[in-house]
Coordinates of all heavy atoms in Angstrom, one line a residue:
Chain A
W27 N 76.6 214.1 28.9 CA 76.8 215.6 28.8 C 77.8 216.1 29.8 O 78.6 217.0 29.5 CB 75.4 216.3 29.0 CG 75.4 217.7 28.4 CD1 75.1 218.0 27.1 CD2 75.7 218.9 29.1 NE1 75.2 219.3 26.9 CE2 75.6 219.9 28.1 CE3 76.1 219.2 30.3 CZ2 75.8 221.2 28.4 CZ3 76.4 220.5 30.6 CH2 76.2 221.5 29.7
D35 N 84.8 222.5 28.5 CA 84.9 223.7 29.3 C 86.1 223.7 30.1 O 86.7 224.8 30.4 CB 83.6 223.8 30.2 CG 82.4 224.2 29.4 OD1 82.5 224.5 28.2 OD2 81.3 224.2 30.0
R36 N 86.5 222.5 30.6 CA 87.6 222.5 31.6 C 89.0 222.1 30.9 O 90.0 222.4 31.5 CB 87.3 221.5 32.7 CG 86.0 221.9 33.5 CD 86.3 223.1 34.4 NE 85.0 223.7 34.9 CZ 85.0 224.5 36.0 NH1 86.1 224.9 36.5 NH2 83.9 225.0 36.4
P39 N 90.1 223.0 23.6 CA 90.5 222.3 22.3 C 91.8 221.6 22.5 O 92.6 221.9 23.3 CB 90.7 223.6 21.4 CG 90.9 224.7 22.3 CD 90.2 224.4 23.6
P88 N 91.5 245.8 -5.2 CA 91.2 247.2 -5.4 C 90.6 247.9 -4.1 O 90.4 249.1 -4.2 CB 90.2 247.3 -6.5 CG 89.4 246.0 -6.2 CD 90.4 245.0 -5.7
I89 N 90.4 247.2 -3.1 CA 89.9 247.8 -1.8 C 90.8 247.3 -0.7 O 91.6 246.4 -0.9 CB 88.5 247.4 -1.5 CG1 88.3 245.9 -1.5 CG2 87.5 248.0 -2.5 CD1 87.0 245.4 -1.0
W91 N 90.6 245.3 2.8 CA 89.6 244.5 3.4 C 90.2 243.4 4.2 O 91.0 242.5 3.6 CB 88.6 243.9 2.4 CG 87.5 243.0 2.9 CD1 87.5 241.6 2.9 CD2 86.3 243.4 3.6 NE1 86.3 241.2 3.5 CE2 85.6 242.3 3.9 CE3 85.9 244.6 4.0 CZ2 84.4 242.3 4.6 CZ3 84.6 244.7 4.6 CH2 83.9 243.5 4.9
R92 N 90.1 243.4 5.5 CA 90.6 242.3 6.4 C 89.7 241.0 6.2 O 88.5 241.1 6.4 CB 90.6 242.7 7.8 CG 91.2 241.7 8.7 CD 91.2 242.3 10.2 NE 89.8 242.4 10.7 CZ 89.0 241.4 11.1 NH1 89.5 240.1 11.1 NH2 87.8 241.6 11.5
A180 N 77.1 227.5 6.9 CA 76.4 228.6 7.4 C 77.4 229.8 7.3 O 78.6 229.6 7.7 CB 76.1 228.4 8.9
N181 N 76.9 230.9 6.8 CA 77.9 232.0 6.5 C 77.8 233.0 7.6 O 76.9 233.9 7.6 CB 77.6 232.6 5.1 CG 77.9 231.5 4.0 OD1 78.3 230.4 4.3 ND2 77.6 231.9 2.8
F182 N 78.8 233.1 8.4 CA 78.8 234.0 9.5 C 80.3 234.5 9.7 O 80.7 234.7 10.9 CB 78.3 233.4 10.8 CG 76.8 233.3 10.8 CD1 76.2 232.1 10.2 CD2 75.9 234.3 11.2 CE1 74.8 232.0 10.1 CE2 74.6 234.2 11.1 CZ 74.0 233.0 10.6
R183 N 81.0 234.8 8.6 CA 82.4 235.2 8.7 C 83.2 234.2 9.5 O 84.1 234.6 10.3 CB 82.5 236.6 9.2 CG 82.0 237.7 8.3 CD 82.7 237.8 7.0 NE 84.0 238.2 6.9 CZ 84.4 239.4 7.1 NH1 83.6 240.4 7.4 NH2 85.7 239.8 7.0
L184 N 82.9 232.9 9.4 CA 83.6 231.9 10.1 C 84.6 231.2 9.1 O 84.1 230.7 8.1 CB 82.7 230.8 10.6 CG 82.2 230.9 12.0 CD1 81.3 229.6 12.3 CD2 83.3 230.8 13.0
E207 N 82.1 234.6 3.1 CA 81.8 236.0 2.7 C 83.0 236.6 1.9 O 82.9 237.3 1.0 CB 81.5 236.8 3.9 CG 80.1 236.6 4.5 CD 80.1 235.5 5.6 OE1 81.0 234.7 5.6 OE2 79.2 235.5 6.4
L211 N 83.2 237.9 -1.8 CA 83.6 239.3 -2.2 C 84.7 239.3 -3.3 O 84.6 240.0 -4.2 CB 84.1 240.0 -0.9 CG 84.8 241.4 -1.1 CD1 83.8 242.4 -1.7 CD2 85.3 241.9 0.3
R214 N 83.0 238.6 -6.5 CA 82.3 239.7 -7.0 C 83.3 240.8 -7.6 O 83.0 241.4 -8.7 CB 81.4 240.4 -6.0 CG 80.2 239.6 -5.6 CD 79.2 240.4 -4.8 NE 79.7 241.1 -3.6 CZ 79.8 240.5 -2.4 NH1 79.4 239.3 -2.2 NH2 80.3 241.2 -1.4
L215 N 84.4 241.0 -6.9 CA 85.3 242.0 -7.4 C 86.0 241.5 -8.7 O 86.1 242.3 -9.6 CB 86.4 242.2 -6.3 CG 86.0 242.9 -5.0 CD1 87.1 242.9 -4.0 CD2 85.5 244.4 -5.3
S218 N 83.5 241.8 -11.5 CA 83.3 243.2 -12.0 C 84.5 243.8 -12.6 O 84.6 245.0 -12.8 CB 82.7 244.0 -10.9 OG 83.6 244.2 -9.9
S220 N 87.9 243.7 -11.7 CA 89.1 244.0 -10.9 C 90.1 242.9 -10.9 O 89.7 241.7 -10.9 CB 88.7 244.4 -9.5 OG 87.9 245.6 -9.5
G267 N 87.6 226.7 18.7 CA 86.4 226.2 19.4 C 86.8 225.2 20.5 O 87.8 225.4 21.2
Q268 N 85.8 224.3 20.8 CA 86.1 223.4 21.9 C 86.1 221.9 21.5 O 86.2 221.1 22.3 CB 84.9 223.5 23.0 CG 84.8 224.9 23.6 CD 83.7 224.9 24.7 OE1 82.6 224.4 24.5 NE2 84.0 225.4 25.8
D399 N 78.1 223.4 9.7 CA 77.9 224.8 10.2 C 79.1 225.2 11.1 O 79.6 226.4 11.1 CB 76.6 225.1 10.9 CG 75.4 225.0 10.1 OD1 75.5 224.8 8.9 OD2 74.3 225.1 10.7
W400 N 79.6 224.2 11.9 CA 80.4 224.5 13.0 C 81.8 223.8 12.9 O 82.7 224.2 13.6 CB 79.8 224.0 14.3 CG 78.4 224.5 14.5 CD1 78.0 225.8 14.3 CD2 77.2 223.8 14.8 NE1 76.6 225.9 14.5 CE2 76.1 224.6 14.9 CE3 77.0 222.4 15.1 CZ2 74.8 224.2 15.2 CZ3 75.7 222.0 15.4 CH2 74.7 222.9 15.5
H404 N 85.8 228.2 15.2 CA 85.7 228.7 16.5 C 84.3 228.5 17.2 O 84.2 228.6 18.4 CB 86.0 230.2 16.5 CG 87.4 230.6 16.4 ND1 88.4 230.3 17.3 CD2 88.1 231.2 15.3 CE1 89.6 230.7 16.9 NE2 89.4 231.3 15.7
A405 N 83.4 228.1 16.4 CA 82.0 227.9 16.8 C 81.6 226.5 17.2 O 80.5 226.2 17.6 CB 81.0 228.5 15.8
T407 N 81.3 224.6 19.7 CA 81.2 224.7 21.2 C 80.1 223.9 21.8 O 79.1 223.7 21.1 CB 81.2 226.2 21.5 OG1 80.1 226.8 20.8 CG2 82.5 226.9 21.2
L408 N 80.2 223.7 23.1 CA 79.2 222.9 23.8 C 77.8 223.4 23.8 O 76.9 222.6 23.8 CB 79.7 222.8 25.3 CG 78.8 222.0 26.2 CD1 78.9 220.5 25.8 CD2 79.3 222.1 27.7
D409 N 77.6 224.7 23.7 CA 76.2 225.2 23.8 C 75.4 224.7 22.6 O 74.1 224.8 22.7 CB 76.3 226.8 23.7 CG 77.2 227.3 22.6 OD1 78.4 227.2 22.8 OD2 76.6 227.7 21.6
K410 N 76.0 224.2 21.6 CA 75.2 223.7 20.5 C 74.9 222.2 20.6 O 74.2 221.7 19.7 CB 76.0 223.9 19.1 CG 76.2 225.4 18.9 CD 77.1 225.7 17.8 CE 77.4 227.2 17.8 NZ 78.4 227.7 18.7
Chain B
W27 N 70.4 246.8 -6.4 CA 71.5 245.9 -6.1 C 72.8 246.4 -6.5 O 73.8 246.4 -5.8 CB 71.2 244.5 -6.6 CG 72.0 243.4 -5.9 CD1 71.5 242.8 -4.7 CD2 73.3 242.9 -6.1 NE1 72.5 241.9 -4.3 CE2 73.6 242.0 -5.1 CE3 74.2 243.2 -7.1 CZ2 74.8 241.3 -5.1 CZ3 75.4 242.6 -7.1 CH2 75.7 241.6 -6.0
D35 N 80.9 246.9 -1.5 CA 82.2 246.3 -2.0 C 83.2 247.3 -2.3 O 84.4 247.0 -2.2 CB 81.9 245.5 -3.3 CG 81.1 244.1 -3.0 OD1 80.9 243.8 -1.8 OD2 80.8 243.5 -3.9
R36 N 82.8 248.4 -2.8 CA 83.8 249.4 -3.3 C 84.0 250.5 -2.2 O 85.1 251.2 -2.3 CB 83.4 250.0 -4.6 CG 83.2 249.0 -5.7 CD 84.5 248.5 -6.2 NE 84.4 247.3 -7.1 CZ 85.4 246.9 -7.9 NH1 86.6 247.5 -7.9 NH2 85.2 245.8 -8.6
P39 N 82.6 249.5 5.0 CA 81.9 250.0 6.2 C 82.1 251.5 6.5 O 83.2 252.0 6.1 CB 82.5 249.1 7.3 CG 83.8 248.7 6.8 CD 83.6 248.5 5.3
P88 N 88.8 230.1 35.6 CA 89.6 228.9 35.9 C 90.3 228.2 34.7 O 90.9 227.2 34.8 CB 88.6 227.9 36.5 CG 87.3 228.3 35.8 CD 87.4 229.7 35.5
I89 N 90.0 228.8 33.5 CA 90.6 228.2 32.3 C 91.2 229.4 31.5 O 90.9 230.5 31.9 CB 89.6 227.5 31.4 CG1 88.4 228.4 31.1 CG2 89.1 226.2 32.1 CD1 87.5 227.9 30.0
W91 N 90.9 231.1 28.0 CA 90.0 231.1 26.9 C 89.9 232.5 26.2 O 89.5 233.4 26.9 CB 88.6 230.7 27.3 CG 87.6 230.6 26.3 CD1 86.5 231.5 26.0 CD2 87.4 229.5 25.3 NE1 85.8 231.0 25.0 CE2 86.3 229.8 24.5 CE3 88.1 228.4 25.0 CZ2 85.9 229.1 23.4 CZ3 87.7 227.6 23.9 CH2 86.6 227.9 23.1
R92 N 90.2 232.5 24.9 CA 90.1 233.8 24.2 C 88.7 234.0 23.8 O 88.1 233.1 23.1 CB 91.0 233.7 22.9 CG 91.1 235.0 22.1 CD 91.9 234.8 20.9 NE 91.4 233.9 20.0 CZ 90.4 234.1 19.1 NH1 89.8 235.3 19.1 NH2 90.0 233.1 18.3
A180 N 71.8 234.3 16.1 CA 72.5 233.1 15.5 C 73.9 233.0 16.2 O 74.6 234.0 16.2 CB 72.6 233.3 14.0
N181 N 74.2 231.9 16.7 CA 75.4 231.8 17.5 C 76.5 231.1 16.6 O 76.6 229.9 16.4 CB 75.1 230.9 18.7 CG 74.1 231.6 19.6 OD1 73.7 232.7 19.4 ND2 73.7 230.9 20.7
F182 N 77.4 232.0 16.2 CA 78.5 231.6 15.5 C 79.8 232.3 15.9 O 80.6 232.7 15.0 CB 78.3 231.8 13.9 CG 77.2 230.8 13.4 CD1 75.9 231.0 13.5 CD2 77.7 229.6 12.9 CE1 75.0 230.1 13.0 CE2 76.8 228.7 12.4 CZ 75.4 228.9 12.4
R183 N 80.0 232.5 17.2 CA 81.1 233.1 17.7 C 81.2 234.6 17.1 O 82.3 235.1 16.8 CB 82.5 232.4 17.5 CG 82.6 231.1 18.3 CD 82.5 231.3 19.8 NE 83.6 232.0 20.5 CZ 84.8 231.5 20.7 NH1 85.1 230.3 20.3 NH2 85.8 232.2 21.3
L184 N 80.1 235.2 16.9 CA 80.1 236.5 16.3 C 79.7 237.5 17.5 O 78.8 237.3 18.2 CB 78.9 236.6 15.4 CG 79.2 236.6 13.9 CD1 77.9 236.7 13.1 CD2 80.2 237.5 13.4
E207 N 78.4 232.4 22.6 CA 79.1 231.2 23.1 C 80.0 231.5 24.4 O 80.0 230.7 25.3 CB 80.0 230.6 22.0 CG 79.2 229.9 20.9 CD 78.9 230.8 19.8 OE1 78.8 232.0 19.9 OE2 78.7 230.2 18.6
L211 N 79.6 230.0 28.1 CA 80.7 229.4 28.8 C 80.9 230.0 30.1 O 81.0 229.2 31.1 CB 82.0 229.5 27.9 CG 83.3 229.0 28.6 CD1 83.1 227.5 29.0 CD2 84.4 229.2 27.6
R214 N 78.2 228.7 32.4 CA 78.4 227.3 32.8 C 79.5 227.2 33.9 O 79.3 226.4 34.8 CB 78.8 226.4 31.6 CG 77.6 226.2 30.6 CD 77.9 225.0 29.7 NE 79.1 225.1 28.9 CZ 79.2 225.8 27.7 NH1 78.2 226.4 27.2 NH2 80.4 225.8 27.1
L215 N 80.5 228.0 33.7 CA 81.6 227.9 34.6 C 81.2 228.4 36.0 O 81.5 227.8 37.0 CB 82.8 228.7 34.1 CG 83.5 228.1 32.9 CD1 84.6 229.1 32.4 CD2 84.2 226.7 33.2
S218 N 78.8 226.0 37.7 CA 79.5 224.8 38.2 C 80.4 225.2 39.4 O 81.2 224.4 39.8 CB 80.2 224.0 37.1 OG 81.3 224.7 36.6
S220 N 82.6 227.8 39.8 CA 83.9 228.5 39.6 C 83.7 230.1 39.7 O 82.7 230.6 39.4 CB 84.6 228.3 38.2 OG 85.0 226.9 38.2
G267 N 81.9 244.4 9.1 CA 81.1 243.9 8.0 C 81.1 245.0 6.9 O 82.0 245.8 6.8
Q268 N 80.0 245.0 6.1 CA 79.9 246.0 5.0 C 78.7 247.0 5.3 O 78.4 247.8 4.4 CB 79.7 245.3 3.7 CG 80.9 244.5 3.3 CD 80.7 243.8 1.9 OE1 79.6 243.3 1.6 NE2 81.7 243.9 1.1
D399 N 70.6 238.2 13.1 CA 71.7 237.2 12.9 C 72.9 238.0 12.6 O 74.1 237.5 12.9 CB 71.4 236.3 11.8 CG 70.3 235.3 12.0 OD1 69.7 235.3 13.2 OD2 69.9 234.5 11.1
W400 N 72.8 239.1 11.9 CA 74.0 239.8 11.3 C 74.3 241.2 11.7 O 75.4 241.7 11.5 CB 73.8 239.8 9.7 CG 73.3 238.5 9.1 CD1 74.0 237.3 9.3 CD2 72.2 238.3 8.2 NE1 73.3 236.3 8.6 CE2 72.3 236.9 7.9 CE3 71.3 239.1 7.7 CZ2 71.3 236.3 7.1 CZ3 70.4 238.5 6.8 CH2 70.4 237.1 6.5
H404 N 80.6 241.5 11.9 CA 81.4 241.3 10.7 C 80.7 240.6 9.6 O 81.2 240.5 8.4 CB 82.7 240.4 11.1 CG 83.7 241.2 11.9 ND1 84.4 242.2 11.3 CD2 84.1 241.1 13.2 CE1 85.3 242.7 12.2 NE2 85.1 242.0 13.4
A405 N 79.6 240.0 9.9 CA 78.8 239.2 8.9 C 77.7 239.9 8.2 O 77.0 239.4 7.4 CB 78.2 237.9 9.5
T407 N 77.1 241.4 5.5 CA 77.7 241.6 4.1 C 76.7 241.3 3.0 O 75.7 240.7 3.2 CB 78.9 240.6 4.0 OG1 78.4 239.3 4.3 CG2 80.0 240.9 4.9
L408 N 77.1 241.8 1.8 CA 76.2 241.8 0.7 C 75.7 240.4 0.2 O 74.6 240.3 -0.3 CB 77.0 242.5 -0.5 CG 76.2 242.6 -1.9 CD1 75.1 243.5 -1.7 CD2 77.2 243.1 -3.0
D409 N 76.5 239.4 0.5 CA 76.2 238.1 0.0 C 74.8 237.6 0.6 O 74.2 236.7 0.0 CB 77.2 237.1 0.3 CG 77.7 237.2 1.7 OD1 78.4 238.1 2.1 OD2 77.3 236.3 2.5
K410 N 74.4 238.2 1.7 CA 73.2 237.8 2.4 C 72.0 238.6 1.8 O 70.9 238.3 2.3 CB 73.3 238.0 3.8 CG 74.4 237.1 4.4 CD 74.7 237.4 5.8 CE 75.9 236.5 6.2 NZ 77.2 237.1 5.8

Side-chain angles (χ1 to χ4, degrees):
Chain A
W27 201 88
D35 289 351
R36 299 287 170 164
I89 55 169
W91 179 255
R92 184 181 63 80
N181 295 356
F182 287 87
R183 291 300 292 287
L184 260 182
E207 286 92 337
L211 174 59
R214 291 194 303 270
L215 292 171
S218 65
S220 291
Q268 296 183 315
D399 291 356
W400 310 310
H404 285 293
T407 52
L408 181 65
D409 50 283
K410 297 168 186 83
Chain B
W27 201 87
D35 289 353
R36 300 286 170 167
I89 55 168
W91 181 255
R92 183 181 64 78
N181 295 356
F182 287 88
R183 291 300 292 285
L184 259 183
E207 287 92 337
L211 174 58
R214 291 194 302 271
L215 292 171
S218 65
S220 292
Q268 295 183 317
D399 293 356
W400 310 311
H404 286 293
T407 52
L408 181 65
D409 50 284
K410 298 169 186 81

